[in-house]
Amino acid sequence: MPQTNPYLEGNNAPVTTEETVTELAVTGTLPSVLSGRYLRNGPNPVTPPDPATYHWFTGTGMVHGIRMDDGRARWYRNRWVRSAEVAAALGEPAHPGPVVEGMDFSPNTNVIGHAGRTYAIVEAGARPYELTDELDTVGPSDFGGTLPGGYTAHPKRDPDTGELHAISYYWGWGNQVQYTRTDVDGRVQKVDDVPVGGMVSIHDMSLTGRYAVIYDLPVVFSEEAVAEGSSFPYRWDDDYESRVGLLPLDGTADDVTWCNVEPCYVFHPMNAHDEGDAVVADVVRHPKMFATHLIGPDEGAPVLERWRVDPAAGKVVTEVLDDRAQEYPRVDERVVGRPYRFGYAAVVTRGDEPGFDVTSGLVKHDLTKGTSEVRGFRGGAGEAIFVPAQPDSSEDDGYVLSLIYDPDRQASDLLVLHAQDFIGDPVATVHLPVRVPYGFHGNWVPDD
Ligand SMILES: [Fe+2]
C-alpha cells in the first residue's frame, strides 16, 4: 500500500508545469505603488518523491512571481530553480557556478531582491541561486566571490543602511554558525564565525540597531537520522542547552552575550529592537520541533511571544502575547530592528489529516493596543507581505499582499488588502488561472 503524505496532497501537491500567463484578471483597483514583482518560493518536487519519507523542507524550489505596474497585473510565472539535479530532471543543460561543499540544492525557502538581482535562498549549507527578473535560473551565486560558504533563507535588511545581515549554519562547519554582512552592492563585507553549542539548525535571526540575535535552540544535526536515511537530518535534542546570543554588530564573536531560555524552537521572529541594555524580540515559539513529527513542523501550537533578552541577567524573560496558533510573522520592512506597532501572521488551524496543521487566515496585530483582527479564508492563506503606500507613510498605511487558495476554482488569488481595512473589502484581487501550492516565503521587489 502506498503511504500518503500531507505535504504532497491538496494544495500542498506540487504543480507539474511551468506557466507564463500575461494580463491577469483583476477585481478592484491595483494601487499605483505596486510597481514591481511579488515573489514567493516554496518546495515543489521536480520528480515524484517517496511519500513515505518526503520531508516538506527538502522539495526542490519553485519560485512564483506576479509582475504588476500601472494598475495592471502584467504576468504570472512559476519556475523551478535549476540546480544540476533539477536541470537534469527537465532534460536541460546545467547552470554551473560556485557550488560549495557539493551542496547543490535548489533553494526552496525564500526569494529576495538585492542589489538589483533576484536570489532564491535556503539554509543548511547551500548557496543562493541567482534568477533573472523573469525567474529563469542564472546559476549558483557566491555574491561575486565574497560569500565563504552557504547562506540562509532569512537575511535581515537594515532599513537605514540597506545592508543584509545573516546568520548561516551548516553541519559541516561543526559547532559554529557564520554571521555575514552584505552591502548594498551585494558583496559580503564582514564574516564572523560564532561558536554555538552544537551542529544546530538556526532558521532565522533577529536584527536590532546594535545586535544580531542568534537563536541557539535544540534542533541539531543527527548522525542517527543520517543513518536512518532521513532526507532532513535534524532532530530535537533534550540535552541541548537553549540560549539566545547577542552579537554586537560592531563587535566580534568574542563579544557575544548568551542568555538562557526555556527549551523550545523558533523558526521565525516577528521583529526585535533595543530597549536600554536589553533586546525585546517578538517570536513565534514552537514548544518542540522534530521530536516526534519528522516530516514537517508540527509539535504543538506555535504562539506569539515577547522575549526580553537581558544580557546583564544572562536570561530571557518570556511573555505570551497571543496564544492562538500562528506562523510566518512579518512586519513593515521599514521597521525591521526598530520599535514597531503592527505585525502580520498566518493563522494556523488543525487540518483534516491527523497531526497536520494548515493556515486558514491572516491576523494583524496591534502590539501597542494589544488587539488583533483576523481575516479567515475557506482555502489556505500564505505569508502576508506589507508594502507601504508611500515611502514615508505611517506604519500601517499600506497594503498587505498574500496568496490565497480558492478551493472552488482550484486556483490561487493574490489578495491586496489595505492594512488599515484588514477585514474589509479587498483593494484588489489578482486572479491566477492556476494554483500556487502552499509554500514558504517571499517578498515584494519594487522597481528601482
Ligand atoms: Fe522561514
Side-chain angles (χ1 to χ4, degrees), residues 99-180:
V99 167
V100 64
E101 306 238 20
M103 298 289 288
D104 184 23
F105 186 74
S106 167
N108 66 8
T109 310
N110 202 349
V111 53
I112 60 172
H114 188 67
R117 300 171 192 259
T118 302
Y119 296 102
I121 52 179
V122 70
E123 66 204 69
R127 282 195 164 131
Y129 258 75
E130 186 180 345
L131 310 178
T132 68
D133 287 354
E134 296 188 337
L135 311 183
D136 295 323
T137 296
V138 176
S141 172
D142 58 4
F143 294 165
T146 64
L147 181 67
Y151 200 52
T152 175
H154 284 288
K156 289 283 178 289
R157 178 178 283 120
D158 184 300
D160 292 336
T161 67
E163 294 173 315
L164 294 182
H165 299 262
I167 299 290
S168 307
Y169 76 93
Y170 169 48
W171 61 267
W173 292 340
N175 295 2
Q176 64 180 35
V177 296
Q178 186 169 79
Y179 165 82
T180 53

Side-chain angles (χ1 to χ4, degrees), residues 109-110 123 153-154 203-204 267-268 327-328 383 440-441:
T109 310
N110 202 349
E123 66 204 69
H154 284 288
H203 181 71
D204 200 343
F267 283 106
H268 303 119
E327 252 296 357
Y328 304 121
E383 180 186 51
F440 297 134
H441 304 286

Side-chain angles (χ1 to χ4, degrees), residues 4 20 49 80 165 282 373 376:
T4 60
T20 302
W80 274 290
H165 299 262
D282 296 339
E373 294 175 288

